């Protein structure tokens, strides 16, 4: 059993991740925290509670976090996820209530209260996580690992070089990458690989089970909107946190570009031999910027079937 905390900006593919995390028998989902990103924080919270309903999840605490990035103005992605950030399915609002603790306090209490190690899985801009690291550094040291969806060792999506979650709050991302906590980066190098099409949605509909039907409707909505294969996206990060063997990973130094030029928010991934790195960077930079496990490939068929099986189990 693995203890996970998810940080989300729900978001259709965050919903795919939440459905999986809430239903997988080997995941103990300790809590979920919300941050602005794909859409505004209020809508993120509404969407997150709805998805937990759809997953038929138990009483999982949901913490409300940052309303905007540390420095930049928020910039949303409704063009991808629909006006409500959740495919505009118009599912009824949940009667669940949010936890009274702010997100950073909820994370602290869940980590401190857990007997076993906790993995933190941010699937969103890293604002909440940076605030948590700065607020409770001693608790942060107890984390087993951060497995984050974000960044890219190749090209970007929000800009030519920057991935959306990192670009949305580069300063927060820099704090996380320099934290000294072991990090796995599930970025754009693999993010788009878990493609789904109409036949996948049809198989999911045939399961006739509430969580899988919700997942299938989300896929239908995204296929109608984007008219092409779409991806399970953020889900992959949760699956790789549970089963790292379903990915190949390379060790790299990762630096976040926090300058205000065209590469703002890019993750510069350095996997040159250490002697070359030492030529260009100071020793303190090398010590400060942690080596990161960067996902390079994933086992696509196994991961897709794992998601479908998990949503379909009663
Ligand atoms: C990331 O940004 C969001 O749109 C997705 O949910 C994912 O976390 C991809 O760049
Ligand atoms: Ca997300």
């Amino acid at each position: 059993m693995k203890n996970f905390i998810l940080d989300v900006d729900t978001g259709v593919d965050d919903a795919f991740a939440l459905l999986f995390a809430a239903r997988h028998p080997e995941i103990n989902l300790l809590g979920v925290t919300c941050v602005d990103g794909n859409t505004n924080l209020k809508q993120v919270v509404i969407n997150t509670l709805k998805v937990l309903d759809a997953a038929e999840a138990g009483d999982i605490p949901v913490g409300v976090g940052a309303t905007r990035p540390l420095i930049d103005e928020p910039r949303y992605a409704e063009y991808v996820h629909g006006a409500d950030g959740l495919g505009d399915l118009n599912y009824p609002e949940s009667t669940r209530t949010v936890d009274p603790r702010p997100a950073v306090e909820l994370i602290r209490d869940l980590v401190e209260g857990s007997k076993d190690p906790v993995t933190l899985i941010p699937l969103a801009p890293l604002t909440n996580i940076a605030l948590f690291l700065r607020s409770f550094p001693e608790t942060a040291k107890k984390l087993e690992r951060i497995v984050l969806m974000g960044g890219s060792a190749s090209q970007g999506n929000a800009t030519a070089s920057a991935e959306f979650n990192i670009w949305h709050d580069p300063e927060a991302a820099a704090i996380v990458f320099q934290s000294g906590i072991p990090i796995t980066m599930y970025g754009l190098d693999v993010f788009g690989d878990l493609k789904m099409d109409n036949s996948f949605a049809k198989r999911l509909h045939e399961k006739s089970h509430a969580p899988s039907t919700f997942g299938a409707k989300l896929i239908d909505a995204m296929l109608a909107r984007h008219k092409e294969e779409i991806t399970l996206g953020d889900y992959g990060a949760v699956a790789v946190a549970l089963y790292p063997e379903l990915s190949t990973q390379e060790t790299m130094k990762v630096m976040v570009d926090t300058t205000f030029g065209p590469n703002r928010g890019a993750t510069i991934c350095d996997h040159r031999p250490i002697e070359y790195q030492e030529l260009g960077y100071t020793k303190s930079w090398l010590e400060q910027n942690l080596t990161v496990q960067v996902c390079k490939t994933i086992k696509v068929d196994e991961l897709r079937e794992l998601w479908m099986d998990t949503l379909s189990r009663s």
Side-chain angles (χ1 to χ4, degrees):
M1 198 76 161
K2 297 283 277 181
N3 290 318
F4 288 172
I5 299 171
L6 266 56
D7 185 73
V8 295
D9 60 340
T10 319
V12 174
D13 57 316
D14 302 75
F16 295 148
L18 280 165
L19 286 165
F20 176 78
R23 295 209 59 83
H24 195 285
E26 292 300 314
I27 295 176
N28 183 19
L29 183 57
L30 296 176
V32 179
T33 51
C34 298
V35 67
D36 103 306
N38 284 320
T39 184
N40 67 78
L41 181 65
K42 186 165 175 253
Q43 191 65 49
V44 167
V45 172
I46 291 170
N47 293 350
T48 303
L49 299 180
K50 270 189 201 180
V51 175
L52 290 174
D53 279 355
E56 299 177 344
D59 192 13
I60 294 166
V62 174
V64 181
T67 56
R68 51 163 289 177
L70 297 181
I71 291 180
D72 287 338
E73 294 295 326
R75 293 159 293 188
Y76 300 128
E78 276 98 358
Y79 53 93
V80 181
H81 299 266
D84 73 349
L86 201 57
D88 295 328
L89 289 185
N90 296 319
Y91 260 68
E93 277 202 24
S94 174
T95 54
R96 290 169 193 256
T97 53
V98 294
D99 194 276
R101 291 164 286 187
V104 291
E105 290 182 17
L106 178 60
I107 297 173
R108 177 202 56 192
D109 290 352
L110 293 173
V111 174
E112 292 291 351
S114 175
K115 281 200 303 342
D116 299 312
V118 176
T119 299
L120 187 55
I121 309 182
L123 306 173
L126 290 159
T127 322
N128 282 349
I129 311 306
L131 292 170
F132 163 68
L133 296 176
R134 286 292 193 253
S135 306
F136 305 111
E138 293 309 313
T139 306
K141 283 185 197 149
K142 297 180 182 168
L143 286 172
E144 181 170 37
R145 174 169 288 275
I146 294 176
V147 180
L148 61 91
M149 190 287 129
S152 170
S154 47
Q155 63 181 31
N157 58 0
T159 71
S161 56
E163 181 280 328
F164 178 86
N165 287 341
I166 307 297
W167 168 83
H168 195 85
D169 195 343
E171 283 70 24
I175 290 170
V176 172
F177 278 99
Q178 292 176 7
S179 65
I181 297 163
I183 293 177
T184 301
M185 181 175 118
Y186 186 93
L188 294 182
D189 314 289
V190 286
F191 178 83
D193 290 356
L194 294 176
K195 290 192 177 21
M196 296 168 294
D197 56 14
N198 281 315
S199 66
F200 186 85
K202 185 163 174 285
R203 280 177 60 212
L204 205 53
H205 274 297
E206 283 163 2
K207 306 286 182 187
S208 300
H209 181 49
S212 44
T213 301
F214 181 76
K217 285 185 177 172
L218 283 176
I219 299 170
D220 291 343
M222 292 306 274
L223 285 169
R225 173 175 279 274
H226 297 291
K227 311 233 178 319
E228 61 194 29
E229 290 180 334
I230 54 140
T231 170
L232 282 168
D234 290 346
Y235 149 71
V238 183
V240 162
L242 186 62
Y243 300 121
E245 65 276 15
L246 294 181
S247 66
T248 60
Q249 306 180 356
E250 257 182 58
T251 305
M252 303 184 195
K253 293 264 182 198
V254 178
M255 175 167 52
V256 179
D257 188 331
T258 52
T259 62
F260 287 86
N263 289 325
R264 180 163 171 77
T267 43
I268 300 159
C269 298
D270 196 342
H271 46 129
R272 297 171 301 157
I274 189 72
E275 58 271 25
Y276 289 110
Q277 294 186 24
E278 277 169 354
L279 287 175
Y281 301 119
T282 63
K283 191 160 182 295
S284 71
W285 187 91
L286 284 172
E287 280 163 5
Q288 205 182 23
N289 285 269
L290 183 76
T291 50
V292 170
Q293 295 305 118
V294 177
C295 290
K296 294 294 289 182
T297 65
I298 50 174
K299 295 198 174 158
V300 171
D301 291 338
E302 282 170 71
L303 284 166
R304 264 194 307 239
E305 294 307 309
L306 173 67
W307 187 75
M308 185 175 302
D309 290 348
T310 303
L311 266 60
S312 309
R313 50 184 298 138
S314 38

